[in-house]
Amino acid sequence: MQQSQLEPDDLVRYLDECLQCYGGKEYLEQFSWVDNLKKVGKPATIEELDTLLIKIIKSKKHDEISIVVPEVMSDEEIEYFSFTRAKQNTSYNIDKTIYFNAIDFLSFDIDRMKRDKLFAFDNQGSEVKSFSIYKCINLEVTHKRKNYMLFLGQWFEIEKKFSEYVEKELKFIPTHKNTFPDLIRKIDKATMKEKLESEGDYNERICKSRNYILMDRKLVKSSRTTTSIELCDIADVKNKILIHAKHRKGGSSGLSHLFAQASVASELILSDEEFRKAARIVIKENHGNAAMNLIPAKKIKSSEFEIVLLMLGCDNTKLLKDLPFFSKVNLMNTYTNLTQRGYKVTVASAK
């Protein structure tokens, strides 16, 4: 019930419902890990952690820091990024070295960081949005024998055992046996800036070079979802490999979409016969009868399928290590949920 629809006599009942939701435990079914995070509210502790953040930046230990877009934004909406004091120095991915190299370390402090901006531009060079750098920083630190994380401009205390558990679980996630080619980089004649190959162009190129079928933007209807979804982005029909690909250029939001897409599509393949029928029709319309063998209409065995989570714009040697903490948790949960359903799940990257 929306507040605008409330009658005065309904207010008490509505507040009772709010209180019940607040004290409920339904979230534990899918988000039990949230209880391992505690928002830091003590001003003195926040000040100590902010001081530690500035110290890390001034010591130039920038490998420990990630800069990400603090909200969900589509790849089509954003083309380039830049920073305060280096606004003309744009990059297709968020290049944190541009920001750190432009800092005057002698006068740099937490207030200046909060004023500094990450700028996002569209493909016409127009500024779309800007964000405080402080809200864009992802950082995990140890302070007074406790683990903390800065995320969306807020410090959280992380249960040490949970942090260790996440890192341990990630080591069990296998890498796809085949490597993927790097993204193509070229100079945009209009802006004279380096432009990274789009997700759509990359998917098309891979399909042509490897005899895969393209399912990117080939939407399948399902009565169980509010909108039509993609079966996957790329598929190897012969080996029943479903590849979900996503750019990481904006940070964690793109990866969240990647993991969610893979989870939803994979679960519908198993549980929804109508979805499978609709998927087979889409496959036939775009790739012919033979390609329909990818998705059986009736009996289906999840063990026959491999789900590949392909992260575009990631360093192959640091694929899982460089992920923001929440992306690590999201990936761990996606891997666990899909493997429990019998799927083989692997990760891959393209630099």
Side-chain angles (χ1 to χ4, degrees):
M1 183 182 294
Q2 296 180 356
Q3 259 184 306
S4 59
Q5 299 175 332
L6 282 177
E7 296 294 332
D9 292 343
D10 295 327
L11 182 58
V12 174
R13 179 171 56 82
Y14 174 75
L15 293 175
D16 283 339
E17 291 176 0
C18 291
L19 185 60
Q20 289 176 13
C21 291
Y22 177 77
K25 298 295 181 182
E26 290 81 3
Y27 71 93
L28 291 174
E29 294 181 10
Q30 297 187 40
F31 303 102
S32 59
W33 54 269
V34 169
D35 284 348
N36 293 287
L37 300 176
K38 183 171 65 176
K39 185 176 179 180
V40 178
K42 191 176 179 181
T45 304
I46 294 174
E47 184 177 353
E48 291 173 3
L49 293 169
D50 284 345
T51 299
L52 180 58
L53 167 62
I54 297 300
K55 181 179 179 181
I56 291 172
I57 292 175
K58 288 186 174 182
S59 65
K60 299 186 179 181
K61 295 179 180 178
H62 304 151
D63 288 344
E64 303 174 16
I65 300 173
S66 297
I67 298 180
V68 301
V69 173
E71 63 181 53
V72 177
M73 302 182 76
S74 68
D75 292 335
E76 292 77 15
E77 186 179 3
I78 300 300
E79 191 76 16
Y80 301 106
F81 299 95
S82 72
F83 299 92
T84 298
R85 291 184 295 277
K87 198 167 184 179
Q88 300 306 312
N89 192 356
T90 58
S91 60
Y92 190 81
N93 288 305
I94 297 177
D95 186 350
K96 61 186 178 183
T97 60
I98 294 175
Y99 174 67
F100 293 128
N101 288 340
I103 289 175
D104 179 0
F105 289 107
L106 292 177
S107 59
F108 189 68
D109 57 20
I110 200 68
D111 291 331
R112 181 156 300 200
M113 169 177 276
K114 290 180 178 180
R115 292 195 300 269
D116 285 351
K117 302 290 185 181
L118 168 69
F119 300 99
F121 302 89
D122 62 20
N123 58 11
Q124 301 299 315
S126 300
E127 182 181 323
V128 177
K129 286 191 176 182
S130 63
F131 312 92
S132 166
I133 292 293
Y134 188 74
K135 288 187 176 181
C136 299
I137 292 286
N138 274 196
L139 173 67
E140 295 172 53
V141 297
T142 300
H143 178 60
K144 295 182 178 179
R145 298 183 180 180
K146 293 182 179 180
N147 291 349
Y148 295 93
M149 173 182 63
L150 179 62
F151 181 73
L152 298 180
Q154 174 64 55
W155 284 102
F156 294 88
E157 181 182 342
I158 309 173
E159 173 62 40
K160 183 178 181 181
K161 290 184 179 179
F162 178 65
S163 179
E164 293 173 347
Y165 170 73
V166 171
E167 296 298 336
K168 177 183 176 183
E169 289 298 302
L170 288 179
K171 292 179 181 178
F172 291 110
I173 301 179
T175 301
H176 184 57
K177 64 179 180 179
N178 296 327
T179 59
F180 288 87
D182 291 344
L183 294 153
I184 293 175
R185 290 166 168 78
K186 58 184 180 182
I187 301 299
D188 187 332
K189 294 181 180 179
T191 62
M192 297 309 294
K193 301 291 184 181
E194 182 182 69
K195 184 175 182 178
L196 204 59
E197 185 176 19
S198 71
E199 178 188 322
D201 289 345
Y202 183 84
N203 290 336
E204 288 186 17
R205 178 163 64 90
I206 295 301
C207 288
K208 290 178 182 178
S209 64
R210 298 196 176 182
N211 199 31
Y212 291 165
I213 64 170
L214 182 67
M215 296 302 295
D216 184 19
R217 302 174 193 172
K218 309 295 189 293
L219 300 179
V220 181
K221 292 182 179 180
S222 170
S223 60
R224 299 191 185 185
T225 58
T226 56
T227 59
S228 299
I229 67 168
E230 295 172 348
L231 178 70
C232 59
D233 290 303
I234 308 166
D236 178 346
V237 176
K238 180 180 178 181
N239 297 299
K240 292 190 181 299
I241 299 174
L242 306 177
I243 303 168
H244 297 267
K246 203 67 183 175
H247 261 297
R248 193 197 160 184
K249 65 179 181 180
S252 57
S253 62
L255 297 182
S256 295
H257 180 82
L258 169 66
F259 303 146
Q261 174 184 296
S263 294
V264 172
S266 300
E267 292 197 20
L268 287 174
I269 289 171
L270 283 184
S271 62
D272 190 346
E273 184 175 333
E274 291 302 316
F275 177 77
R276 293 198 297 273
K277 289 181 179 179
R280 285 169 58 83
I281 291 172
V282 172
I283 292 171
K284 180 180 178 180
E285 290 175 346
N286 289 277
H287 304 291
N289 290 331
M292 292 172 66
N293 293 328
L294 176 67
I295 304 294
K298 295 290 184 180
K299 295 181 180 179
I300 185 166
K301 295 181 180 179
S302 57
S303 59
E304 295 178 348
F305 290 85
E306 178 180 353
I307 310 298
V308 180
L309 305 172
L310 174 58
M311 301 174 222
L312 305 179
C314 290
D315 188 331
N316 298 334
T317 62
K318 301 178 181 178
L319 175 57
L320 300 184
K321 183 180 178 181
D322 281 354
L323 293 180
F325 183 77
F326 281 121
S327 293
K328 291 180 180 180
V329 173
N330 204 344
L331 172 57
M332 178 188 73
N333 289 335
T334 299
Y335 176 78
T336 300
N337 291 337
L338 293 183
T339 53
Q340 286 178 346
R341 285 163 173 73
Y343 287 108
K344 178 181 179 182
V345 181
T346 59
V347 294
S349 64
K351 192 173 180 181

